[in-house]
Amino acid sequence: MRNWAGNLLYSARGLVRPTSLDELADVLDTPGPVRALGSRHSFNDLADTPGVHVQVDRLDDGRPAVDLDAATGVVSVNAAIRYGDLSRALQLQGRALGNLASLPHITVAGAVATATHGSGDANPSLASAVVGLEIMTTGGELRRITRDGDPELFGGTVVSLGALGIVTRVELATEPSFSVRQDVALDVPWETVLDRFDDVTGAAYSVSLFTGWDEPAVRQVWFKSVVEDADDGGTRPDPVPDLRWATSEVHPLPGVDAAACTPQLGAPGPWNERLSHFRLEFTPSAGAELQSEYLVPRHRAVEAIEAVRALAPRVAPLLQTSEIRTVAADELWMSPFGDPAVGLHFTWRPDGPGVAGVLPDLEEPLLALGARPHWGKLFALDPAEAGALYARFGDFRALAERFDPDGRLHGGYLGRLLG
């Protein structure tokens, strides 16, 4: 079995999909390595194990897969539900999540465990919406950890990298549903972007910039603006003068049909049909690709962008597209967003050796600026050095030993990280 991109053949000897908590406990009672598996959207071996993979997509714990508490606005969901399916269910009940990632195809548990994110100056990662988790440890104990009830543990249990057990349910804060319009500006000069970076990224609820790095202008800037009254359609953002607006829908990848993308051209619609870049019913992004991402402190963003532009002759030939996004800070131990950050995301051509060859050169200037790699993407940084980037890494390792004293979850990259 391979990961989503097809670049990694898992070493697991089997896959189990328990249908009840008792079945899951029986799986965990069997000796040997074990590891949760979600939508397989990690591009490295973070989710790998030499033992048994466990998916909880068929798990029935006696509760609805989407269980909304109308009084508190907290929704409890099966950990394996995809964001696209969850967002549709919430919209039908008049509720929303604060943000979504580019792809609605990823599972909730996998996304929050790796600090996956969307964009927006005021929008933290998807993990920040978590208020509670139910985790079955390798000892077969089902534990519920909540933000209010377990403040001393909670910060280490959300972005857990799968190190604590098999997450069966996730509890998320929701808010009233809202409408969004999406407008795309084309060929915005680099000088404008760098001189007015805060103006550009702050002009809408969520902003994404797409580039190939070797071009004289940023190819596309996607502005996702909250519309207070969907009937009047809202207004297009105006962060800098003389922007050229797309008059037909575009795809982030040059020359690719935009049918897979969420509606643009300023047409307002529900949050769940605009905040992601791609529609749930289509193959996400290009399919055949590799990905890397580095999260740089917000105050070093312009320096980081200039550093990558200087490497354009090395980077561009391997690239399909690159996305720049902003993310607000959170307080989760293993989240790369301890401070406001800017994500530099690279969607590579499926050239493993070529990408592996350029990553060390790309990381050198970015790490010097305080960058942290996305846990689920490709990067060259040594695991010991990656752990050292986090002030609470020692606490996280101790928490992992407490939940999994025999290290049965230590497969792939996680095993190398925890040592």
Side-chain angles (χ1 to χ4, degrees), residues 369-403:
L369 294 171
R372 293 168 169 174
H374 187 298
W375 291 113
K377 311 295 185 183
L378 295 175
F379 56 93
L381 186 66
D382 179 85
E385 295 179 76
L389 298 177
Y390 294 83
R392 300 295 299 271
F393 178 69
D395 296 327
F396 176 71
R397 182 158 50 192
L399 184 64
E401 291 173 354
R402 177 176 167 183
F403 274 65

Coordinates of all heavy atoms in Angstrom, one line a residue, residues 369-403:
L369 N 16.4 31.6 9.2 CA 15.4 32.6 9.5 C 14.3 32.1 10.5 O 13.3 32.8 10.8 CB 14.7 33.1 8.2 CG 15.6 33.8 7.2 CD1 14.8 34.0 5.9 CD2 16.0 35.1 7.7
G370 N 14.5 30.9 11.0 CA 13.6 30.4 12.0 C 12.5 29.5 11.5 O 11.5 29.2 12.2
A371 N 12.6 29.0 10.3 CA 11.6 28.2 9.7 C 11.5 26.8 10.4 O 12.5 26.3 10.9 CB 11.9 28.0 8.2
R372 N 10.3 26.3 10.3 CA 10.1 24.9 10.7 C 9.4 24.2 9.6 O 8.5 24.7 9.0 CB 9.2 24.8 12.0 CG 9.8 25.4 13.2 CD 8.8 25.6 14.3 NE 9.4 25.9 15.6 CZ 8.7 26.3 16.7 NH1 7.3 26.3 16.6 NH2 9.3 26.5 17.8
P373 N 9.8 22.9 9.3 CA 9.1 22.2 8.2 C 7.7 21.7 8.6 O 7.5 21.4 9.8 CB 10.1 21.0 7.9 CG 10.8 20.8 9.2 CD 10.9 22.2 9.8
H374 N 6.8 21.5 7.7 CA 5.5 20.9 7.9 C 5.8 19.4 8.2 O 6.5 18.8 7.4 CB 4.6 21.1 6.7 CG 3.2 20.6 6.9 ND1 2.9 19.3 7.2 CD2 2.0 21.3 6.9 CE1 1.6 19.2 7.3 NE2 1.0 20.4 7.1
W375 N 5.2 18.9 9.3 CA 5.5 17.5 9.7 C 5.1 16.5 8.6 O 5.7 15.4 8.5 CB 4.7 17.2 10.9 CG 5.2 17.9 12.2 CD1 4.6 18.8 12.9 CD2 6.5 17.7 12.8 NE1 5.3 19.3 13.9 CE2 6.5 18.6 13.9 CE3 7.6 16.9 12.6 CZ2 7.6 18.7 14.8 CZ3 8.7 17.0 13.4 CH2 8.7 17.9 14.5
G376 N 4.1 16.7 7.8 CA 3.7 15.7 6.8 C 4.2 15.9 5.4 O 3.8 15.2 4.5
K377 N 5.2 16.8 5.2 CA 5.7 17.0 3.9 C 7.1 16.5 3.8 O 7.7 16.0 4.8 CB 5.7 18.5 3.6 CG 4.4 19.2 3.8 CD 3.2 18.8 3.0 CE 2.0 19.6 3.2 NZ 0.8 19.1 2.4
L378 N 7.8 16.7 2.6 CA 9.1 16.3 2.4 C 10.1 17.3 2.9 O 9.9 18.5 2.6 CB 9.4 16.0 1.0 CG 8.6 14.8 0.3 CD1 8.9 14.8 -1.2 CD2 9.0 13.5 1.0
F379 N 11.1 17.0 3.7 CA 12.1 17.9 4.1 C 13.4 17.1 4.4 O 13.3 15.9 4.6 CB 11.7 18.7 5.3 CG 11.2 18.0 6.5 CD1 12.1 17.6 7.5 CD2 9.9 17.6 6.7 CE1 11.7 17.0 8.7 CE2 9.4 16.9 7.8 CZ 10.3 16.6 8.8
A380 N 14.5 17.8 4.5 CA 15.8 17.1 4.7 C 16.3 17.2 6.1 O 17.2 16.5 6.5 CB 16.8 17.7 3.8
L381 N 15.7 18.0 6.9 CA 16.2 18.3 8.3 C 16.3 17.0 9.1 O 15.3 16.2 9.2 CB 15.3 19.3 9.0 CG 15.7 19.8 10.4 CD1 17.0 20.6 10.3 CD2 14.6 20.7 11.0
D382 N 17.4 16.8 9.8 CA 17.6 15.7 10.7 C 16.5 15.7 11.8 O 16.2 16.7 12.3 CB 19.0 15.7 11.3 CG 19.2 14.6 12.2 OD1 19.6 13.5 11.7 OD2 19.1 14.7 13.4
P383 N 16.0 14.5 12.2 CA 14.9 14.5 13.2 C 15.4 15.1 14.5 O 14.6 15.8 15.2 CB 14.7 13.0 13.4 CG 15.0 12.4 12.1 CD 16.2 13.2 11.5
A384 N 16.6 14.9 14.9 CA 17.1 15.5 16.2 C 17.1 17.0 16.1 O 16.7 17.7 17.1 CB 18.5 15.0 16.5
E385 N 17.4 17.6 15.0 CA 17.4 19.0 14.8 C 16.0 19.5 14.7 O 15.7 20.6 15.2 CB 18.2 19.4 13.5 CG 19.7 19.1 13.6 CD 20.4 19.4 12.3 OE1 20.6 20.6 12.0 OE2 20.7 18.5 11.5
A386 N 15.1 18.7 14.1 CA 13.7 19.2 14.0 C 13.1 19.2 15.4 O 12.4 20.2 15.7 CB 12.9 18.2 13.1
G387 N 13.3 18.3 16.2 CA 12.8 18.3 17.6 C 13.3 19.5 18.4 O 12.6 20.1 19.2
A388 N 14.6 19.8 18.1 CA 15.2 21.0 18.9 C 14.6 22.3 18.5 O 14.8 23.3 19.3 CB 16.7 21.0 18.6
L389 N 13.8 22.4 17.5 CA 13.1 23.6 17.1 C 11.9 23.9 18.0 O 11.4 25.0 17.9 CB 12.7 23.6 15.7 CG 13.7 23.4 14.6 CD1 13.1 23.3 13.2 CD2 14.7 24.6 14.6
Y390 N 11.5 23.0 18.9 CA 10.3 23.1 19.7 C 10.7 23.1 21.2 O 11.3 22.2 21.7 CB 9.4 22.0 19.4 CG 8.8 22.0 18.0 CD1 9.5 21.5 16.9 CD2 7.6 22.6 17.7 CE1 9.1 21.6 15.6 CE2 7.1 22.7 16.5 CZ 7.9 22.2 15.4 OH 7.4 22.3 14.1
A391 N 10.3 24.2 21.9 CA 10.7 24.4 23.3 C 10.1 23.3 24.1 O 10.7 22.9 25.2 CB 10.2 25.8 23.8
R392 N 8.9 22.7 23.8 CA 8.2 21.7 24.6 C 8.5 20.3 24.1 O 7.8 19.4 24.4 CB 6.7 22.0 24.6 CG 6.3 23.3 25.2 CD 6.6 23.5 26.7 NE 6.0 22.5 27.5 CZ 4.8 22.7 28.1 NH1 4.1 23.8 27.8 NH2 4.3 21.7 28.9
F393 N 9.5 20.1 23.2 CA 9.7 18.8 22.7 C 10.0 17.8 23.8 O 9.5 16.6 23.7 CB 10.9 18.8 21.7 CG 11.2 17.4 21.1 CD1 10.3 16.8 20.3 CD2 12.4 16.8 21.4 CE1 10.6 15.6 19.8 CE2 12.6 15.5 20.9 CZ 11.7 14.9 20.1
G394 N 10.8 18.1 24.8 CA 11.1 17.2 25.9 C 9.8 16.8 26.6 O 9.6 15.6 27.0
D395 N 8.9 17.8 26.8 CA 7.6 17.4 27.4 C 6.8 16.5 26.5 O 6.1 15.6 27.0 CB 6.8 18.7 27.7 CG 7.5 19.6 28.7 OD1 8.2 19.1 29.6 OD2 7.4 20.9 28.6
F396 N 6.8 16.8 25.2 CA 6.1 15.9 24.3 C 6.6 14.5 24.3 O 5.8 13.6 24.3 CB 6.2 16.5 22.9 CG 5.5 15.7 21.8 CD1 4.1 15.6 21.8 CD2 6.3 15.0 20.9 CE1 3.5 14.8 20.8 CE2 5.7 14.2 20.0 CZ 4.3 14.1 19.9
R397 N 7.9 14.4 24.3 CA 8.5 13.0 24.3 C 8.1 12.3 25.6 O 7.8 11.1 25.6 CB 10.0 13.1 24.2 CG 10.7 11.7 24.2 CD 12.0 11.7 23.5 NE 12.9 12.7 24.1 CZ 14.0 13.1 23.5 NH1 14.4 12.5 22.4 NH2 14.8 14.0 24.0
A398 N 8.1 13.0 26.7 CA 7.7 12.4 28.0 C 6.2 12.0 28.0 O 5.8 10.9 28.5 CB 8.0 13.3 29.2
L399 N 5.4 12.8 27.3 CA 4.0 12.5 27.2 C 3.8 11.3 26.3 O 2.9 10.4 26.7 CB 3.2 13.7 26.6 CG 1.7 13.6 26.5 CD1 1.1 13.5 27.9 CD2 1.1 14.8 25.7
A400 N 4.5 11.2 25.2 CA 4.4 10.0 24.4 C 4.8 8.7 25.1 O 4.2 7.7 25.0 CB 5.3 10.2 23.1
E401 N 5.9 8.8 25.9 CA 6.3 7.6 26.7 C 5.3 7.3 27.8 O 5.1 6.1 28.1 CB 7.6 8.0 27.4 CG 8.8 8.1 26.5 CD 10.1 8.6 27.1 OE1 10.0 8.9 28.3 OE2 11.1 8.6 26.5
R402 N 4.5 8.3 28.3 CA 3.5 8.0 29.3 C 2.3 7.3 28.6 O 1.7 6.3 29.2 CB 3.1 9.3 29.9 CG 1.9 9.3 30.8 CD 1.7 10.7 31.4 NE 0.5 10.8 32.1 CZ 0.0 11.9 32.7 NH1 0.7 13.0 32.6 NH2 -1.2 11.9 33.3
F403 N 1.9 7.7 27.4 CA 0.8 7.1 26.7 C 1.2 5.7 26.1 O 0.3 4.9 25.9 CB 0.2 8.0 25.7 CG -0.8 9.0 26.2 CD1 -0.4 10.0 27.1 CD2 -2.1 9.0 25.8 CE1 -1.4 10.9 27.6 CE2 -3.0 9.9 26.2 CZ -2.7 10.8 27.2

